[in-house]
Amino acid sequence: MNWDAISAIGEMVAAIAVVITLLFLVVQLRLSRQATDANTKVTRSAAAAQSQNYLAKFNEVLMANADLSKLYTEAFAQGSFEGLADDEVFRIQMGLRANMQHFEAMYFQFEEGLLEDRVWALRRSYIGSFIRMKPVSDWWSVERESSAFTEEFIADIESSEGFVMGELGQRVQSSVAR
């Protein structure tokens, strides 16, 4: 055998090794993409479940705590905090703040692509209907200025269809605009 033949065989073996390596990399990339897609689905599913579980737990707290349930019922029935003791108003307001903080956490999950668009659309609609209720709308008009929430979250919520600022908030905003 001469050196040219040995060199040609070596080049052929090297070319076959390159093709096998490329095929191996293609298979590995495909498997990696499938694993990433599966992980993304699991993460999104967990985020959706977490948001639903929070709402269920809040409802369970109201159901299990007769005093707290009564406070919310009175405030929503009369559309204001009038007639409630200061500590009762504080409890309701802290409950409202806790709700909105959980909603903002859901918003962050949505912004990071962890909460699907359809799930955030449902939560956003719920938040809008929640804020439209009296006395929540008046509470939100003041609370939104407290620096407890990001401007992005506030803008997203308040740009939702059907969002209505509470009467107190309208007065505050009109006095600021002057």
Side-chain angles (χ1 to χ4, degrees), residues 60-174:
E60 289 170 359
V61 166
L62 287 177
M63 183 182 70
N65 188 325
D67 292 336
L68 187 59
S69 182
K70 183 179 176 190
L71 286 178
Y72 274 86
T73 302
E74 287 178 25
F76 287 112
Q78 66 188 24
S80 74
F81 299 127
E82 303 242 349
L84 297 176
D86 289 345
D87 64 321
E88 294 172 328
V89 172
F90 180 78
R91 286 182 73 191
I92 292 172
Q93 289 177 339
M94 290 301 101
L96 295 174
R97 180 180 282 177
N99 268 329
M100 292 305 288
Q101 287 169 325
H102 281 284
F103 292 142
E104 187 171 35
M106 291 176 207
Y107 169 75
F108 292 142
Q109 288 178 326
F110 167 71
E111 283 294 308
E112 293 298 322
L114 300 175
L115 194 63
E116 293 183 39
D117 293 355
R118 65 187 176 87
V119 175
W120 177 244
L122 290 170
R123 298 300 173 260
R124 187 175 188 233
S125 175
Y126 177 81
I127 296 164
S129 66
F130 180 68
I131 291 176
R132 281 192 298 275
M133 294 188 295
K134 285 285 205 171
V136 180
S137 58
D138 287 334
W139 167 83
W140 177 248
S141 297
V142 175
E143 184 70 14
R144 65 185 299 285
E145 304 298 328
S146 71
S147 300
F149 304 99
T150 63
E151 292 176 12
E152 296 82 8
F153 172 68
I154 293 169
D156 188 71
I157 295 306
E158 292 183 357
S159 68
S160 66
E161 185 176 327
F163 178 83
V164 177
M165 179 72 74
E167 183 181 316
L168 179 60
Q170 291 172 356
R171 285 187 297 197
V172 169
Q173 290 208 335
S174 65

Side-chain angles (χ1 to χ4, degrees), residues 9-71:
I9 292 172
E11 286 179 16
M12 189 183 322
V13 169
I16 291 171
V18 167
V19 170
I20 290 172
T21 301
L22 288 175
L23 289 174
F24 176 77
L25 288 174
V26 166
V27 169
Q28 291 302 310
L29 283 172
R30 184 174 296 162
L31 291 174
S32 177
R33 183 175 310 159
Q34 289 172 348
T36 300
D37 290 346
N39 188 38
T40 299
K41 286 179 184 178
V42 167
T43 302
R44 284 184 169 179
S45 177
Q50 181 184 19
S51 75
Q52 190 66 15
N53 285 340
Y54 168 73
L55 295 172
K57 285 181 183 180
F58 184 75
N59 291 334
E60 289 170 359
V61 166
L62 287 177
M63 183 182 70
N65 188 325
D67 292 336
L68 187 59
S69 182
K70 183 179 176 190
L71 286 178

